[in-house]
Structure formats: C-alpha cells, structure tokens
C-alpha cells in the first residue's frame, strides 16, 4: 500500500455528462436530476460567495 493519496482508486461518479441514459429506470433518472439540481445549487452558492468576496476586496481598495 502506498502512502500517497493519489494512488487511491477514485469512485465512479453518480452521473457522467453525455452517458447513455437508455438503460436507466425512471426512478434512476429522477435521482440523477435531483443530484444535478443540488450540484447546480452548490455551484451557484460558490459563485455568490466568490462574488461577494471580490466585491468586499474591491471596496477595500477603492479610493
């Protein structure tokens, strides 16, 4: 066993963009939609946090 974290296997993602959806059930598709919606929300929250941090920095350095 290696002492480096990079050697660990990564778990497959729950959804891969562009993957074949034909074999999934309706429930599986709904679960993926819920997963993607929660990820969109998380991304939007990160954008808002970064934007507010940038605004704070800009206001600090304004004359």
């Amino acid at each position: 066993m290696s002492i480096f974290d990079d050697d660990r296997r990564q778990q497959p993602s729950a959804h891969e963009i562009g993957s074949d959806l034909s074999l999934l059930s309706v429930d599986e598709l709904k679960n993926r939609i819920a997963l993607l919606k929660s990820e969109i929300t998380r991304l939007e929250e990160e954008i808002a946090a970064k934007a507010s941090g940038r605004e704070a920095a800009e206001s600090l350095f304004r004359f």
Side-chain angles (χ1 to χ4, degrees):
M1 180 169 11
S2 174
I3 60 171
F4 299 105
D5 289 341
D6 293 341
D7 293 339
R8 288 186 288 163
R9 284 190 169 185
Q10 292 183 348
Q11 294 180 350
S13 63
H15 180 75
E16 184 177 328
I17 303 298
S19 63
D20 182 16
L21 304 175
S22 63
L23 299 176
L24 299 176
S25 69
V26 171
D27 285 338
E28 289 172 319
L29 291 169
K30 287 180 180 180
N31 287 338
R32 287 191 180 199
I33 289 171
L35 172 71
L36 292 169
K37 284 182 178 180
S38 67
E39 182 65 6
I40 289 169
T41 299
R42 188 176 77 91
L43 292 167
E44 290 173 338
E45 289 170 352
E46 186 65 22
I47 288 170
K50 288 182 183 242
S52 73
R54 181 179 179 152
E55 290 170 7
E58 286 177 352
S59 69
L60 180 66
F61 293 107
R62 285 189 191 144
F63 290 70

